[in-house]
Amino acid sequence: MRRYTNRFINEHHLISGRVLSAIVVLPLSLTIAACSQPNSAAADPTPVNEPTIATQNVQTTHTEQPTAETTPVSAHSDNQSTILRNISATVYKDANCGCCKEWVGYAEGHGLNATAQNVEDLSLFKERYSVPQQMRSCHTTVTTDGYVFEGHVPAKHMAQFLKNPPSDAIGLAVPGMPVGSPGMEYQDKFMPYNVMQLNKDGTTEVYATIESPQQQI
């Protein structure tokens, strides 16, 4: 994890060295801490058992249609709800991203049938699925219906969107990595944030404003 944190800092706030040009929602040190230790108050030298996500590293090249092999993601241990039980999606992520793994487990806990793909260059997939630069985060989720959910989007809002998708929208995004958002839990910290609607014409608008952890449930 120290290796991932150092790489994050050295490459000028880019997720996985390639994804974000800047993260403006939080001080960098707090964001790194939350992504590195999403559910712990302090570093603990004792190994912690984490949900296992079966993934494979995938090499991608700069082509117009980037591809990657798929591997199933194991079920999350906390079955909080089933609001995403009829939804299948692929999550494009970096192999070393701890908070991406946490979000996948969270989404699976709400019933999502997720397949994780560890990819070499996430920007290729964000461009492929028309995620605006300022809306980008550390992972990109694409449902079998083609809707895009960028970053740490709450399951509640994914389900609401998919139940009645706006005709002009392609999905939702939580830009950056707000501490306290799903998969970014860290101690008792919480940063209010917006869930943004991504429109087909490249514009964005506020879909939901999250001012407390309870509003994510």
Side-chain angles (χ1 to χ4, degrees), residues 81 83-84 106 110 153-162 172 182 207 210 214-217:
S81 74
I83 58 175
L84 299 177
Y106 155 84
H110 285 80
V153 180
K156 168 185 175 180
H157 295 99
M158 289 181 64
Q160 288 177 355
F161 179 93
L162 291 170
L172 301 176
Y207 183 84
I210 311 299
Q214 291 72 30
Q215 289 181 312
Q216 304 174 132
I217 301 173

Side-chain angles (χ1 to χ4, degrees), residues 1 4 34-36 38 50 94-103 183:
M1 192 59 68
Y4 175 66
C35 191
S36 301
E50 297 181 289
D94 184 275
N96 298 311
C97 182
C99 57
C100 297
K101 180 178 178 180
E102 290 294 327
W103 185 88

